[in-house]
Amino acid sequence: MDHRPFEDWLLDNPPLTTDQKYQLNTHLRTCSSCAALAEVNLALKSVNVAAPAMGFTDRFQVRLAARKQALRRRNFWGFALLTLSVLGLFLRVSWPVLKDLLQSPVNLLASWISSLASFWASLQAIFRAGMVLFKVVPGFVPAYIWAVILFAAGGWSLVWVVSLMKFTKYPQGV
Ligand SMILES: [Zn+2]
């Protein structure tokens, strides 16, 4: 088979007349070799279209470097922002505890004073109750009963005060 004009046409890509185009197409339908050449030509043409312009590589590298730098900068700011937001969130969440921690001397003193006052008030109440009992209940109650009652009251108030102190050591919000 003679591929002469068709091969040249395919390789040089000259302007073809309608008749020449028809001949080429007819030949391509019957000749696999020229059809393959035409296909390669077509592929090369599309590659040529997509081929980079002059200085593209340099520009690409410059742009890549800039992009990398921007990415690094963005990473830095992202990291900083993340750190700040985590820190802020941590502060926001733990603020009540931190506040208590900062004010803990005052809080401790206040809780001590309040528990002392409660202790004093309960002592007074017990004493008054004892006086009432002493006045109302006649002397037939043996002395050891009084001792047991006093002992029990003392032990109870001691336990109460200790538990109160333990409770006030951990203020609300924990
Ligand atoms: Zn051919």
Side-chain angles (χ1 to χ4, degrees):
M1 202 181 277
D2 185 25
H3 311 294
R4 199 86 279 248
F6 311 114
E7 241 173 13
D8 288 344
W9 290 351
L10 285 169
L11 289 171
D12 296 337
N13 224 359
L16 300 175
T17 63
T18 315
D19 188 49
Q20 283 171 326
K21 273 182 190 168
Y22 176 76
Q23 285 176 43
L24 179 64
N25 280 333
T26 316
H27 178 73
L28 285 178
R29 239 172 265 142
T30 54
C31 176
S32 57
S33 162
C34 284
L37 189 65
E39 217 164 284
V40 167
N41 218 9
L42 210 71
L44 277 174
K45 229 184 257 174
S46 68
V47 166
N48 274 343
V49 166
M54 286 289 284
F56 173 80
T57 316
D58 290 345
R59 264 182 289 141
F60 177 74
Q61 241 138 30
V62 166
R63 217 181 300 163
L64 192 74
R67 207 187 154 93
K68 262 184 188 167
Q69 202 174 4
L71 203 71
R72 221 175 295 141
R73 210 176 303 139
R74 207 169 56 190
N75 275 354
F76 169 75
W77 283 115
F79 181 73
L81 200 73
L82 190 76
T83 307
L84 275 177
S85 49
V86 165
L87 208 72
L89 197 73
F90 175 75
L91 274 174
R92 177 78 189 78
V93 166
S94 61
W95 177 241
V97 180
L98 279 176
K99 207 167 63 179
D100 275 350
L101 225 72
L102 288 172
Q103 296 176 341
S104 73
V106 179
N107 264 6
L108 214 66
L109 201 71
S111 69
W112 262 96
I113 288 169
S114 75
S115 56
L116 265 176
S118 310
F119 180 60
W120 181 242
S122 62
L123 260 186
Q124 275 182 321
I126 288 166
F127 186 70
R128 231 175 282 134
M131 287 301 282
V132 168
L133 272 174
F134 193 71
K135 270 181 199 160
V136 170
V137 180
F140 60 73
V141 177
Y144 74 90
I145 297 281
W146 284 116
V148 165
I149 288 171
L150 271 176
F151 189 75
W156 176 79
S157 54
L158 197 71
V159 166
W160 182 70
V161 164
V162 165
S163 70
L164 196 78
M165 273 162 62
K166 247 186 187 166
F167 181 73
T168 48
K169 228 177 224 175
Y170 304 99
Q172 73 285 358
V174 176

